[in-house]
Amino acid sequence: MEINKNIEDDGVIFMSIKDKNTESAQVENSDAEKKDVTILAIESSCDETAVAVVRNGREVLSNIISSQIALHTVYGGVVPEIASRKHVEKINGCIRAALSEAKLTFKDIDAVAVTYGPGLVGALLVGVSEAKAISFATGKPLIGVHHIEGHISANFIENKDLEPPFVCLVVSGGHSHLVVVKDYGEYEIIGQTRDDAAGEAFDKVARAIGLGYPGGPKIDKAAREGNPDAFTFPQAKIPDAEYDFSFSGLKSSVLNYINQAKMQGNELNQADVAASFQKAVVEVLAGHAIKACKEYGYDKLAIAGGVASNSALRELMEKECAANGIKFYRPSPVLCTDNAAMIGAAAYYEYIKGVRFGLDMNAVPNLPLGDRERRFHGRG
Ligand code: KG4
Ligand code: ZN
């Protein structure tokens, strides 16, 4: 992946992501009768305004991300009001850039897809309103996409051979789910977090040890200099739900250690705490995922979501999958964090099933995974 970055006057980072192998990565359309399906996809559920053009679910013609991360860093987390306002300012420019890089116009697009939940309601509404306006003005069908289904579908982009069924570990700032992807768009949740999401735990611990926001990438980096065996932090097991996760005990244990160290006047070794905390998280995540593959009888395991770009998690999953005869799939780090290419990938499989949304589509901030309200309208 090649990333062209430009920092704008307001601090927003404009990125255009290109797959250097795009030419060779083109998806063969084996059925000559079958028409290519080109989808314009929009994602604005949190602090990235993202627009992509995706062909046949797996070929990314353009992938634009306008990241507000620098604007939120000063507040130690995402400020929803700032996020919504920036989305409004940036979204039209991102759409223009995505179409222009794909060398297409609205006329060439078969459908408009957008994340309609879960996420910050004001942020989601910007993308949803934009997608509805484009659909209304061009007469192109509208497809709503679940953000987490998008994350899972990011795996289809670089792994042309990946097809359901497979197990996917979804770990982001708001979600930690262990899912069986039974078919395209069909999910069975076999485990989820009882309290904090994995990314949330990374963010909170990073703040506590003074690394700041965004916590995940900072812990990942600091941990490389630290000793993962310096401390043994607890790895929670939930007796009646062996695939569920709980990170609050681990987080409290790290906070207790930090407070004790402060009280005793001991210097805090950030790198050792980061590495030991990270080890506890990734061992639980990988352990549950491998166990699920073995017990449910799947030999393909994918990871998705922001935390899936964690280097220790990727390394451990790789090792454990190899040891257990499981094929391991992971998106490039830039496709793990929020982007619209993944939304275009998920939308394609909805499109070919005939899923269409009406212009009454609304943002659903707590939209549950795999339990969507699917609406059909007649503008196929
Ligand atoms: O998927 P994502 O971009 O947004 C949500 O849908 O939540 O995930 C963001 C989360 C944040 O909590 C961030 O700290 C975490 O992913 N994250 C990481 C890493 N990169 C991002 N966590 C651990 N290691 C990383 N390298
Ligand atoms: Zn996300």
Side-chain angles (χ1 to χ4, degrees):
M1 292 279 163
E2 185 185 300
I3 306 173
N4 294 310
K5 268 192 198 179
N6 176 33
I7 300 177
E8 299 179 349
D9 294 344
D10 56 2
V12 167
I13 308 165
F14 179 92
M15 286 177 275
S16 166
I17 296 113
K18 290 204 176 99
D19 184 351
K20 281 183 244 153
N21 306 316
T22 299
E23 300 291 308
S24 58
Q26 285 197 355
V27 180
E28 287 288 319
N29 194 343
S30 49
D31 184 351
E33 296 284 294
K34 226 168 81 185
K35 192 187 157 292
D36 282 333
V37 176
T38 308
I39 294 183
L40 176 73
I42 300 171
E43 152 66 42
S44 69
S45 65
C46 192
D47 61 342
E48 263 102 21
T49 324
V51 182
V53 178
V54 180
R55 184 164 286 163
N56 299 332
R58 304 205 181 214
E59 186 190 339
V60 179
L61 304 186
S62 62
N63 187 11
I64 304 294
I65 303 176
S66 171
S67 169
Q68 309 169 5
I69 199 145
L71 311 190
H72 300 283
T73 299
V74 284
Y75 301 99
V78 176
V79 184
E81 181 64 23
I82 296 178
S84 316
R85 282 165 190 255
K86 276 292 157 195
H87 286 314
V88 173
E89 283 175 30
K90 301 292 172 182
I91 197 157
N92 283 329
C94 291
I95 287 174
R96 270 195 296 273
L99 285 172
S100 136
E101 289 211 356
K103 301 191 178 61
L104 299 176
T105 68
F106 284 127
K107 280 205 192 92
D108 309 304
I109 299 297
D110 295 296
V112 189
V114 64
T115 305
Y116 74 109
L120 301 169
V121 70
L124 287 165
L125 272 171
V126 178
V128 166
S129 309
E130 182 84 14
K132 291 200 311 193
I134 295 172
S135 171
F136 179 71
T138 60
K140 309 280 178 178
L142 179 66
I143 300 169
V145 175
H146 188 289
H147 181 74
I148 297 302
E149 297 187 15
H151 273 301
I152 294 169
S153 304
N155 282 285
F156 297 135
I157 295 170
E158 291 159 295
N159 302 297
K160 309 297 180 203
D161 64 320
L162 177 61
E163 293 199 30
F166 59 90
V167 173
C168 188
L169 172 72
V170 187
V171 273
S172 72
H175 296 81
S176 300
H177 281 111
L178 198 51
V179 179
V180 176
V181 183
K182 296 183 141 182
D183 200 346
Y184 293 106
E186 274 182 42
Y187 307 92
E188 184 192 342
I189 300 170
I190 56 172
Q192 54 192 306
T193 183
R194 294 289 179 101
D195 37 61
D196 291 347
E200 206 178 342
F202 269 96
D203 292 336
K204 288 178 179 167
V205 166
R207 192 176 309 149
I209 59 177
L211 287 170
Y213 174 85
K218 292 202 167 149
I219 291 206
D220 194 347
K221 193 165 171 234
R224 281 176 214 152
E225 312 297 322
N227 173 9
D229 299 314
F231 312 101
T232 309
F233 291 127
Q235 301 186 7
K237 283 201 172 64
I238 296 150
D240 57 332
E242 55 181 343
Y243 295 114
D244 276 1
F245 305 101
S246 166
F247 298 111
S248 70
L250 165 62
K251 182 190 68 192
S252 304
S253 170
V254 176
L255 297 185
N256 285 343
Y257 168 78
I258 297 167
N259 289 337
Q260 249 176 18
K262 271 188 197 151
M263 274 176 358
Q264 290 164 357
N266 296 338
E267 205 184 313
L268 189 72
N269 186 328
Q270 269 184 336
D272 280 354
V273 177
S276 303
F277 159 77
Q278 180 173 269
K279 181 181 175 195
V281 177
V282 305
E283 282 189 351
V284 167
L285 294 175
H288 281 35
I290 298 285
K291 191 160 188 250
C293 282
K294 283 167 55 180
E295 281 192 9
Y296 282 75
Y298 292 103
D299 60 359
K300 291 185 274 184
L301 175 58
I303 53 173
V307 182
S309 57
N310 181 271
S311 56
L313 178 64
R314 292 165 86 90
E315 221 170 88
L316 183 61
M317 293 282 272
E318 189 123 17
K319 196 174 117 212
E320 290 294 317
C321 282
N324 287 284
I326 298 165
K327 186 149 187 213
F328 177 47
Y329 295 89
R330 70 259 181 279
S332 291
V334 71
L335 291 178
C336 287
T337 47
D338 290 350
N339 66 87
M342 68 185 196
I343 303 303
Y348 169 74
Y349 294 100
E350 299 293 289
Y351 179 91
I352 56 176
K353 275 189 213 162
V355 174
R356 307 286 185 267
F357 280 61
L359 290 175
D360 56 346
M361 178 208 275
N362 204 352
V364 185
N366 55 356
L367 185 66
L369 177 68
D371 179 26
R372 282 156 308 151
E373 186 189 343
R374 286 195 169 136
R375 278 176 268 172
F376 295 78
H377 68 91
R379 295 195 293 146

